[in-house]
Amino acid sequence: MVLAERARSCLLRFRNRLEQDIKPSYLMDHMISDGVLTVDEEEKIKSQPTRKDQSVALLELLLRKDNRAYISFYNALIKEAYDDLANLLHDDLPHISPEAYKSTSDGFTSYAQMVLSEGGVPQRPVVFVSRPELVNQVREKLYRLQKEPGWVTVFGMAGSGKSVLAAEAVRHHGLIEECFPGGIHWLSIGQLDKPDLLVKIQSLCFRLEQSLDSQSLHRPPNSLDEAKERLRFLMLRRYPRSLLILDDIWDSTVLKAFDIHCRILLTTRNRSLTDSVSGAKYEVEVESGLDENKGMEILALYTNNKPQGLPEEARSIVRECKGSPLVVSLIGALLKEKPNRWRYYLCQLQQKQFKRIRKSSSYDYDALDQAMAASIEVLPDEHRELYRDLTVIEKDIKVPAKVLSVLWDLEPEEVEDILEEFVNKSLLFVDSHHKPYLYYLHDLQVDFLAEQNRTQLESLHTKVVCQYQQHYKDGPPTSGDEECLYWIRFLTYHMAKASLFQELNSLMFSLDWVRIKAQIMGPAHLINDYVEYGPILDKENSEVRSQFQEFLSLNGHQLEQRPFPDVVQLALSQPHASEVYRQALLQAQERASTGKLYFDWLNKSSVESLSRLVIHPHQGSIYSACFSHDGAKIASCGASKTLKVFKSTSGEKLTEIQAHDDEVLCCAFSPDDRLLATCSSDRKVKVWNVERAMQLRVFEEEHEEQVNHCQFTNTTQRLLLATCSNDKFLNVKLWNLNKPSSQNTMFGHIEPVNHCCFSPDDAFVSTSSNDGSVKLFQVSSANEWKTINVRNMFTESDEEVFVKCSTWTADGKRIICAARNAVLVFDVETSDMLLEIRTNRLSTVQYCQACPTSNLLAIAFSNYAVELWDLEANKKMADCSGHLSWVHRVQFSCDGSQLLSCSDDQTVRLWETNKVHTSSAVCLKRDSDVLFNDEEIIVSAADNCNRLQVRDGRTGLVLFQSEEKLSRIRCTCMCRQPSAVVLGQEDGTVQVLEVPSGKLLATLLGHTKTVLHCQFSQDGQTLFTSSEDTTIRVWRWQSGECKVLQGHKEQIRCFSLLSNSPADKRLLSWSFDGTIKMWDIESGEKLQDTEAHRGAILSCHVSPDGCLFATTSADKTAKLWRCDSWQCVHILSGHQDCVRSCRFSWDNRRLATGDDNGEIRLWSVKDGSLLKICSRDGKDGMDSLHGGWVTNLHFSPDNSLLVSTGGYIKWWDVERGEALQTFYPSGSALKRIHVSSDFSTFVTIDSIGILYILQRVA
């Protein structure tokens, strides 16, 4: 593209004047920034001996360049205050004329206009004034995005026309065709909190997905991280080379949600916003106001005149408006209606004295107040009152006409006519791309109305609430349209502003409101309401507010699921004293009378939880999390390569930083909480300013392998940072932040160092290494003081001993380290071992930390557990159960009241240590047995201390507890008469104990491997056991007489008596060897033997009439067999995964099967046909259909209902195959469910050891 002829002539005409006056070095800085001048060209010009010679060389070069260079030179003159010279060039600025648009009007209309309309780009305002120099600047920057992603920022003061400019810049056929063939997508942002931003991105994702095929539609993303990833996928994969326009960005944290490596144009008042994001960045500054000629042009267009034909007052009006496009437009709209009032409006602008709304604001409030007042005064009286009602609308909120129809009690059509009048007078704006239209005020107008009506704000909000209550007497709207969304989102806001505190309490203390708002808006808005209006709600009842907020905090992840869960069922798990539970029970009882299923958790009061808050800050494993020293903030980092800081009270995100190029392994606050240190697999150590989210230091030269841990000194007296790494020798370093290199390197370890930790007085650093030792170094000299050989404490094995971490007690006299499955406590002075905590767990200790204010020690394990121990008593005090994967880190708050833990399950959990007591440390194993006896429910199961417990299920009372067994208990069963309980152990031992005395009745020896299943005969005289040793044993347990059933080649996990009749002496067994066998239990003779499946047999069930049995297998099939002939009647194919479970209905007509993908199928026993596949709706669409394997199935006595267990419990309508209810346990992987004969009571134990006694609500 060559320089336009007019521009060339202009340069030649004024060449001498330019050569005399300009300083080329200043101008070239701007031109290089604009990309029209290279550094080499600058150097060549600067090589000229004098300033004038440099000027001559610059102009010579400019004449050989294109229009972009001319525009950049013009803009540089303005920025360097050469206004007189810039004016010489202004009239010949190259730009696209209106005629040029006309000449390509067909192409523009058919292609470009379609692209802009589909992307939601606003149309030109009715009165439009071209600003070609700015438009061309923006377009020139946008062309830079043709080959690579990046950011173009249009910044300037409010009301300066940034949004119009952005929209005009992309209104260009060639630009769209060459740079953004994937489309242009406009998103209005404004001032948003986190939930509102999520709604915005959800809306954008939905809009983008709607344009694709129907298969591309997904459920809305439930979190900002998920929304960011969805948008990244759409922009990079489905809409490559498209442009995303973000209008009116205020906050850098909002902008980070769009840091997805795509092409973005944004408008903002804050020039520095893009400092927080990555990628190429370009800027265009918009002057704070229009020059007088542009202002005159706007007035001329409004009044249908030519600028030179305007009255003399016109120029004075433009001056009084101070160049604000918004204010000039407001006056222009008034003059369009009353063209003879030039003098009148000028006098109003000059004489009306309105109080400034905010003196420090960037808004031009003097002019705005006057123009707004003048605009409103010309409205009819009744419309002036209606416009005043708009005072209640929040900034950046768009409202459908239906909401105002309710507020004004007018027909929608009449409301639309009134709103159209407001729009025409520039008193209101309309989003015409949205159907129905949405209306909104500019934030200048919102501020003005609020100031004008500040004494009436309460009554105006009261009117909104009263009109809503009148219109929705029968309950809140639930349609999900724009009107519904407005009321559900803002009703609490209007009540609070109206001081209608009683109404606010009634609404927010209602489970119905929780259900409606959570379903329509998601839980984030709800939780925010309880936080925001907490001070108001607490005046009525702080306990109830706390109960509702706690319910949402602990169940928010459930409320994000689709299909939406039953809120009443979730609420039935709340404590009996909770108002949430009380309301839920009343609703459940009422709905149960109509046949709806609900289940009350009877024994929940016996379950103690220390959990206070669950936060999901990252996508991917979280390797480190830490409290700030004031306890107000938590920082976390992990596999996502990011560092995040959030509030410890609510989990609200404060800061997010793209911290490293690889996984971030550790983060640590400085003692004054102003700094955060991070270290990474990328071998770098970085220090950040917490407040500004800005990198202050990066140390990248000295560590040559991944840096595992970092920690600041405990005081600021002499601030140092310690780091340790996988380096062979130079693996521990101390850093002074004022120096570019490390202050000291500690020598001694010859293997990777996993952890480093300052002593409480900062005199020593302890280091923990894969060489099996902990070393203590003096901080002042960096010399080694002593070595503690931890590996010497593990003499029973030749395996390597890796020391994971070390922690100091508060007095600095003891040091505690973690290795293998043990925690060891040493005396610092003598190096003697004082205490050893060995767990029974088949897992390693990942981390430990001593509480700074008490004797508590927190231990994190690889098997998902966190334990709290009392160091003085050498006693476990509590299990913090809830994590679903490896726990990497634990840390106490400085006051010791809270503990945090982080895990591979992508969560950070907070625990309240003041709730610690011994009983909370007990949890049960999933292998259990249950006896239902009228109202009594007796449960037997092993606990986590390997003791057998027999409990009263309703009360949680322990009826019997055995001593701790040396060999792990793997199965149990109970007998009513005699009252006895059996336990089978890993070493093959079987014991029979009397209940409740605990007296040992029999020890049965014979199995050589783990006992997997045990069962009494109906009369209690015979005991059957199966084992990993491939045998079944039939015991006359009182005499010790035993028959061994041998024949299987692999372990026998289960077996079944063919009937409960004492006369029937047949037993059915199945095994991983794929065979099924029938035995005579009297003689021990094998009656039948067949290879039933190619894979392991996973379950078997005998039909109630004893005629058939079913088998399921890892070969993905189920089979039906006749008991008399052992013929295979039907092969049931169709499952896509291992078929894990099966069950006959009581009428023998149906068979239910469940697989490892969570799918349940119902089959006809008669002909083997598939009757139903139970609903495929899955939990959050992210895991298997049942949250895991379907492990157990039971039909109701009338065969109308089916209950199943997997990751959770589901009840099904058998006829329709539809889910009727779901119960979500705290843990997962339910193994078995015990069902009472009347199908009213259900008992199970989850993966974290919680016992659930569920009773159907009648």
Side-chain angles (χ1 to χ4, degrees), residues 445-698:
Q445 296 163 327
V446 173
D447 282 341
F448 172 80
L449 284 172
E451 174 64 19
Q452 289 294 100
N453 303 300
R454 65 185 183 279
T455 60
Q456 299 169 287
L457 282 175
E458 195 170 295
S459 62
L460 290 172
H461 283 283
T462 301
K463 177 181 177 182
V464 177
V465 177
C466 292
Q467 289 297 109
Y468 166 86
Q469 291 172 333
Q470 179 67 27
H471 192 79
Y472 291 105
K473 292 191 287 279
D474 300 328
T478 56
S479 59
D481 61 11
E482 290 292 341
E483 181 202 7
C484 166
L485 288 173
Y486 181 86
W487 289 119
I488 297 302
R489 183 177 172 190
F490 290 108
L491 182 57
T492 50
Y493 162 76
H494 291 304
M495 286 179 170
K497 290 292 185 182
S499 298
L500 296 173
F501 300 151
Q502 193 58 50
E503 287 83 353
L504 183 65
N505 290 329
S506 298
L507 186 72
M508 294 189 66
F509 293 163
S510 161
L511 196 58
D512 286 333
W513 177 253
V514 168
R515 174 181 55 80
I516 291 168
K517 185 156 186 171
Q519 185 164 10
I520 292 171
M521 302 294 300
H525 279 281
L526 258 175
I527 296 172
N528 190 61
D529 280 353
Y530 285 97
V531 173
E532 186 171 348
Y533 305 123
I536 298 172
L537 300 171
D538 285 351
K539 291 176 184 176
E540 173 71 15
N541 194 323
S542 61
E543 191 173 345
V544 172
R545 192 270 309 156
S546 176
Q547 289 164 357
F548 273 88
Q549 190 170 329
E550 183 175 337
F551 168 60
L552 289 165
S553 295
L554 298 179
N555 291 277
H557 58 296
Q558 309 286 9
L559 296 172
E560 290 175 345
Q561 295 174 29
R562 292 298 178 268
F564 189 70
D566 190 318
V567 171
V568 172
Q569 181 60 63
L570 286 178
L572 285 172
S573 294
Q574 294 302 290
H576 285 107
S578 168
E579 174 65 16
V580 179
Y581 171 77
R582 189 192 68 80
Q583 291 186 29
L585 185 60
L586 287 173
Q587 291 192 28
Q589 289 169 338
E590 182 182 334
R591 297 179 192 179
S593 64
T594 64
K596 180 78 174 167
L597 287 182
Y598 284 102
F599 300 90
D600 195 3
W601 183 6
L602 296 183
N603 66 316
K604 60 194 165 200
S605 60
S606 66
V607 177
E608 287 117 8
S609 172
L610 314 183
S611 185
R612 188 178 73 78
L613 185 65
V614 182
I615 307 164
H616 187 280
H618 300 268
Q619 294 291 329
S621 298
I622 303 174
Y623 298 137
S624 178
C626 59
F627 281 107
S628 59
H629 290 75
D630 63 7
K633 295 185 285 288
I634 292 172
S636 67
C637 59
S640 65
K641 308 176 189 177
T642 59
L643 170 69
K644 293 193 181 182
V645 182
F646 40 90
K647 291 181 181 176
S648 62
T649 52
S650 64
E652 178 189 345
K653 187 176 78 176
L654 300 173
T655 303
E656 179 177 2
I657 301 170
Q658 290 293 329
H660 287 269
D661 300 325
D662 207 335
E663 295 180 328
V664 188
L665 301 180
C666 185
C667 56
F669 278 100
S670 63
D672 59 7
D673 295 331
R674 291 177 57 251
L675 307 177
L676 261 172
T678 57
C679 58
S680 166
S681 297
D682 67 8
R683 308 188 297 278
K684 296 175 185 176
V685 178
K686 297 185 179 184
V687 180
W688 309 86
N689 179 296
V690 177
E691 184 93 16
R692 296 162 61 193
M694 187 176 76
Q695 180 180 301
L696 299 179
R697 281 282 186 188
V698 56

Side-chain angles (χ1 to χ4, degrees), residues 144-164:
R144 307 275 187 92
L145 305 184
Q146 182 174 5
K147 292 183 179 178
E148 64 171 1
W151 307 77
V152 174
T153 304
V154 178
F155 66 93
M157 289 177 63
S160 58
K162 301 182 293 293
S163 301
V164 173

